[in-house]
Amino acid sequence: MTLLTLVRHGQTDWNLARRIQGSTDIPLNATGQDDARAAAALLADGTHHAIYASPLVRAHETARIIADELGLASPGLVPDMRERSFGEGEGILVADYLEQYGDWHATPPGSETLAGVCERALSALDSIARHARLRSAPVAESVIVVTHGGVIRSLLNHVSSGTLPREGDILRNGSVHRFEASPGVLRLLESIAV
């Protein structure tokens, strides 16, 4: 068994403006750096053995701050934990996106499906957990993975058989979501907003 703690990256100016980021590489703002420190404070009461991150700068920067705060080695980058590509939907305001495309399940031209995001994220988490089990058997290892709202939403939806997140639930920047991973199984333990 491996304990996987998924953290949503800190705030960016595009989050603040409610603009679709997707795979567009937007850095943290000052509030986002504070979000990362707040997430690290939430995680400080436990033991963590490694940290990984999406290669997008907002997630990687969040992971670096958390690693520094917790005394962990530099985060490993996991390309398949990147945010969903929204294709032609990237860069537009959320309200305009929803008006134009209807909902988050829409696939604007050039975008990735939610099912595709979930599939690649599950595969990446399985690889992370498998690597952790090889390093630490028979002791459970605790790993932090800094990723994105769309990725976390797709995983919550998967593990809850479509009941989470509920309509209108907001995954706050810096929020923490703890999972337990064993071969072929991912189970939600808790979600905590900062």
Side-chain angles (χ1 to χ4, degrees), residues 1-2 11 19 51 65-66 86 101-103 154 168-169 185:
M1 175 187 70
T2 304
Q11 185 187 79
R19 188 172 296 282
I51 186 166
I65 291 169
I66 292 170
F86 282 86
Y101 298 109
D103 65 21
S154 74
D169 281 356
V185 177

Side-chain angles (χ1 to χ4, degrees), residues 4-70:
L4 296 171
T5 301
L6 274 59
V7 177
R8 184 177 180 209
H9 64 79
Q11 185 187 79
T12 70
D13 287 343
W14 279 26
N15 288 136
L16 188 60
R18 305 248 327 124
R19 188 172 296 282
I20 302 287
Q21 291 177 109
S23 59
T24 305
D25 216 1
I26 307 297
L28 297 179
N29 59 23
T31 299
Q33 293 168 350
D34 290 342
D35 291 337
R37 285 187 278 279
L42 275 176
L43 299 171
D45 64 346
T47 300
H48 305 283
H49 303 95
I51 186 166
Y52 296 89
S54 153
L56 295 175
V57 68
R58 58 194 182 267
H60 187 217
E61 186 178 354
T62 300
R64 277 185 292 145
I65 291 169
I66 292 170
D68 288 347
E69 294 283 323
L70 299 182

Side-chain angles (χ1 to χ4, degrees), residues 5-194:
T5 301
L6 274 59
V7 177
R8 184 177 180 209
H9 64 79
Q11 185 187 79
T12 70
D13 287 343
W14 279 26
N15 288 136
L16 188 60
R18 305 248 327 124
R19 188 172 296 282
I20 302 287
Q21 291 177 109
S23 59
T24 305
D25 216 1
I26 307 297
L28 297 179
N29 59 23
T31 299
Q33 293 168 350
D34 290 342
D35 291 337
R37 285 187 278 279
L42 275 176
L43 299 171
D45 64 346
T47 300
H48 305 283
H49 303 95
I51 186 166
Y52 296 89
S54 153
L56 295 175
V57 68
R58 58 194 182 267
H60 187 217
E61 186 178 354
T62 300
R64 277 185 292 145
I65 291 169
I66 292 170
D68 288 347
E69 294 283 323
L70 299 182
L72 296 170
S74 295
L77 299 183
V78 182
D80 281 343
M81 293 307 294
R82 71 193 179 284
E83 181 58 290
R84 174 188 181 193
S85 171
F86 282 86
E88 291 181 8
E90 292 197 16
I92 66 175
L93 296 174
V94 169
D96 294 340
Y97 177 90
L98 293 174
E99 183 178 316
Q100 184 171 351
Y101 298 109
D103 65 21
W104 296 111
H105 296 280
T107 51
S111 69
E112 195 175 5
T113 66
L114 286 173
V117 172
C118 185
E119 186 176 314
R120 69 170 159 79
L122 284 169
S123 178
L125 291 177
D126 185 59
S127 293
I128 289 168
R130 192 170 47 253
H131 186 259
R133 285 191 295 274
L134 290 174
R135 269 197 322 255
S136 63
V139 178
E141 183 147 316
S142 177
V143 177
I144 299 166
V145 182
V146 180
T147 187
H148 305 269
V151 174
I152 295 170
R153 278 183 175 283
S154 74
L155 292 168
L156 289 172
N157 190 348
H158 173 76
V159 301
S160 71
S161 299
T163 63
L164 294 175
R166 288 179 280 286
E167 187 70 33
D169 281 356
I170 296 171
L171 300 184
R172 301 206 182 282
N173 294 101
S175 59
V176 171
H177 311 270
R178 297 180 202 256
F179 294 84
E180 178 184 277
S182 53
V185 177
L186 186 66
R187 186 170 68 92
L188 179 66
L189 300 176
E190 67 178 334
S191 291
I192 306 166
V194 294

